[in-house]
Amino acid sequence: MADTATPNVIRRADYAQPAFLIDTVALEFDLVPDRTVVRNTMRVRRNPDASHAANLELMGEQLEFVGATVDGAPFANAHAHEHGLTLDNVPDNFELTLTSNCNPAENTTLSGLYVSGGNFFTQCEAEGFRRITYFLDRPDVMATYTVTLRASKTDYPVLLSNGNLLEAGDLPDGRHFARWEDPFRKPSYLFALVAGKLVALEERVKSGSGKEKLLQVWVEPHDLDKTRHAMDSLINSIRWDEGRFGLELDLDRFMIVAVSDFNMGAMENKGLNIFNTKYVLANPETATDTDFANIEAVVGHEYFHNWTGNRVTCRDWFQLSLKEGLTVFRDQEFSADMAGGATDEAARATKRIEDVRVLRQMQFAEDAGPMAHPVRPESYVEINNFYTMTVYEKGSEVVRMYQTLFGRDGFRKGMDLYFKRHDGQAVTCDDFRHALADANGRDLAQFERWYSQAGTPRVSVRTKYDAAQQRYSVRLTQGYGEAAPAARETQKGPLLIPFAIGLIGNDGRDLPLQLEGETRASDSTTRVLEFAQTEQTFTFVNVAQEPLPSLLRNFSAPVIVEYDYSADQLAFLLAHDSDPFNRWEAGQRLATRELLTLAGRAATGVPLQLDDSVVAAFARVLTDETLSPSFRELALMLPSEAYLAEQMAESNPAAVHAARQFVRKRLANALGKDWLAVYDKHRTPGAYEATPEASGHRALKNLALSYLAELDDPAEAVRLASAQYDTANNMTDRAAALSALLNAAAANGGSVEAQQALDDFYRRFEKEPLVIDKWFALQATQRGNAQRPVIETVRKLMAHPAFNLKNPNRARSLIFSFCAANPAQFHAEDGSGYAYWADQVIALDAINPQVAARLARSLELWRRFTPALREGMRTALEKVASQVKSRDVREIVEKALA
Ligand code: B3K
Ligand code: ZN
């Protein structure tokens, strides 16, 4: 109890080496759902580098202690307590055997050993292993594991664990066993086991050095027809890591297992990756193009962890971004290479734009609130709360900056040195930075601030052209603006910011770049300026005409750029910038500026108007057939409501929604014929193909359909959407049609077509949980109106027989979709959304604290909203704070209220 009442803060500065080390672990499991017996035999020794401790303190949670032996003899001085097991006065070097029981059937937290769909699964990161056996459950204790699994042969025909299968066979009483050995030392968080009725798609491939590898994707039998894409993604990942980083698969066998009850996306357990079904199962009928792309990215991500995370792991959890930021960077590069190879910059930019959009919408918001923390946090109460956008996405941007500074080859040299120095070790973010610095002969001391300072940096730009001297100066100033208090206290000094810039002439082409002091212009028309002081001026010489600057090309650093572009200049950049990312960026700036002005008007009841020049800029993109469809789709998509609300001095979701809807309608009505032409032109008849080109066509076509559904007279759009719904041969088109029907209906208080499609969708996919998740999510995120607020639909759906709060995917599809992805409805003025949110956080807290804590975060920015909403949010937060028990949720709501 003491633990939940006054949560302990864990601090990075308090790191101390473990007093003991564990070299080998032999685990034996007798798997029974409500009483699994675990016998754990460890070789333990005192750590020569740590200060002396007489007692061995092992972590343990929710375990029933049975007994201990030391070197084969019963050991009486073992005391089990709420947080683990204390063994008094142990020898210096000994064999310890512990026996304990746990109850996987009752484990709804999905951390440790649990049952899902009648099968056994584990999840150990970050601190779940201690729910399986008593252990030094910290990443700097690395051991080799042997695992023996015993279970009923009929109920659990398949028995899997990390590494290689040593032997398997039958036992008396209808039981059987399997024994696995993982030859690589690993921290406990990478342990895994799976037992149950599963089948596998198998492939044998040869790795770069010619060794044969067995690859398996394990699923429930009825899902075998949805495994091909995951397998292809795995094979592509293996090839990519060999080609780009010279990293080979080190085990003879690599397994992926899908489970439908899972707290996050997937887990990189050594040789036995466990995945949320959402990131494995796909066929054209059930999965969208986005699902296909996500599966490729997540399969890649977990596979890449085999080197960045598993072979070289984290010394402590403050170093989480060492493996996560780096592995996100690797998966982003993998997806970009899969889409565009190394050289198709436009195709690569599509991926870059998608990633930056997520970063800006989610990580910038995190940085602006009470959970703001550096990429390498200084403290935490519950580590699971720190698997964040900052650690992952900003962490990835930090890794990307090394590559931007040193080039691909310099980055590769740094990676090679990192593995040479640290293979088999548990290390820190500093170790990574030093490897990159040393391999490139650079001092990166200042770069450390990217790891220790929270908040989103702002770079303001002032330019001056001297026509007589043909000089163009760019003055950069960096700071953090009005940072959140949590971020402000970490901010100590200027950052080293790689600032990529180009100069554009009035014909739309890049000008040559020559900095003052250089003898000639460089070959490239993009220059990475190393901006390292609070204020710094860079002067370009021999600039024949006044240029338009293209700033922070390809988003070369995770910062906000402030520069006073005129609307005409933005339209020009949108039409001409040679950097595809910045072309998109110009359109976004233009739209954001316009939308924020309109939201301000909507908030005060002033009638809305949209300038014709904005419509014209969008029309040019819409009709420019030289641009790729996927780029056009991204450029024509307006910034999200959440992002826009976050940009307001006081977030006003209703005003943002009104403004954005106004612009969508205006663009729909003004360009109706063009949208229709685009819709027709980008159909993809014939068999479904999951290629980037085909999915680009579908994305643009479906965006056109969504705009057509905004027309004042949506009859034609409804006809098209209904036809598309009925004839679709893939989920991308079917779901887009359904969504268009729902949105067209919202304006008119419902429609027969929408209801029919919704009912049909349910019947058609009743047996496909991942598709039923979409059915819930589409309804939770639909547009509402005064007569029919979405909260009513959501409440009704909570009582639907297919709803299940215990399944995280289902809870996310309904509750999270409403609370986090439908801002205009969630932030209803009557506070109904907040009351609902509080009830759900409290209900989930008793079932699954990790999932509850994620939901709890949807109100953390409450102080930034309009006063009318703020009060309702505070009341809801206080209610949650007074009722929840878990450390996870308490940390979130207490920080929000502090
Ligand atoms: N490493 C896991 C995340 C574990 C989350 C624990 N709460 C998945 C990943 O990032 O690859
Ligand atoms: Zn990861």
Side-chain angles (χ1 to χ4, degrees), residues 125 264 266 268 301-302 305 323-324 384 387 392 850:
E125 188 177 2
M264 63 267 172
E268 69 263 27
H301 181 97
E302 306 310 331
H305 266 315
K323 74 178 178 79
E324 295 305 346
N384 285 313
Y387 286 73
Y392 276 64
Q850 281 186 47

Side-chain angles (χ1 to χ4, degrees), residues 366-370 372 455 480-489 491 864:
E366 181 166 276
D367 248 347
Y480 285 95
E482 299 263 295
R488 209 177 307 135
E489 57 197 38
Q491 296 162 355
R864 301 174 62 90

Side-chain angles (χ1 to χ4, degrees), residues 382-401:
E382 170 52 62
I383 184 56
N384 285 313
N385 286 333
F386 284 80
Y387 286 73
T388 58
M389 281 287 153
T390 300
V391 166
Y392 276 64
E393 311 302 321
K394 186 176 181 180
S396 161
E397 294 299 323
V398 170
V399 173
R400 182 176 296 278
M401 287 189 284

Side-chain angles (χ1 to χ4, degrees), residues 469-576:
Q469 303 289 323
Q470 303 217 329
R471 289 160 66 89
Y472 186 68
S473 65
V474 178
R475 195 171 85 172
L476 304 179
T477 314
Q478 57 171 301
Y480 285 95
E482 299 263 295
R488 209 177 307 135
E489 57 197 38
T490 66
Q491 296 162 355
K492 303 274 151 48
L495 298 156
L496 168 58
I497 299 175
F499 194 92
I501 187 171
L503 302 181
I504 303 176
N506 42 36
D507 61 355
R509 289 192 208 203
D510 280 346
L511 301 175
L513 299 178
Q514 182 180 357
L515 280 167
E516 187 169 36
E518 293 174 347
T519 50
R520 58 176 198 93
S522 53
D523 297 333
S524 168
T525 55
T526 297
R527 197 61 189 253
V528 179
L529 305 175
E530 293 198 9
F531 171 36
Q533 294 154 26
T534 304
E535 190 169 295
Q536 218 168 329
T537 301
F538 299 87
T539 303
F540 293 93
V541 296
N542 293 329
V543 184
Q545 46 168 289
E546 172 153 22
L548 188 57
S550 170
L551 304 168
L552 203 75
R553 281 186 160 173
N554 203 34
F555 199 70
S556 62
V559 303
I560 295 167
V561 173
E562 296 167 333
Y563 183 69
D564 218 357
Y565 285 114
S566 71
D568 286 346
Q569 289 175 328
L570 289 173
F572 188 82
L573 289 172
L574 175 59
H576 298 291

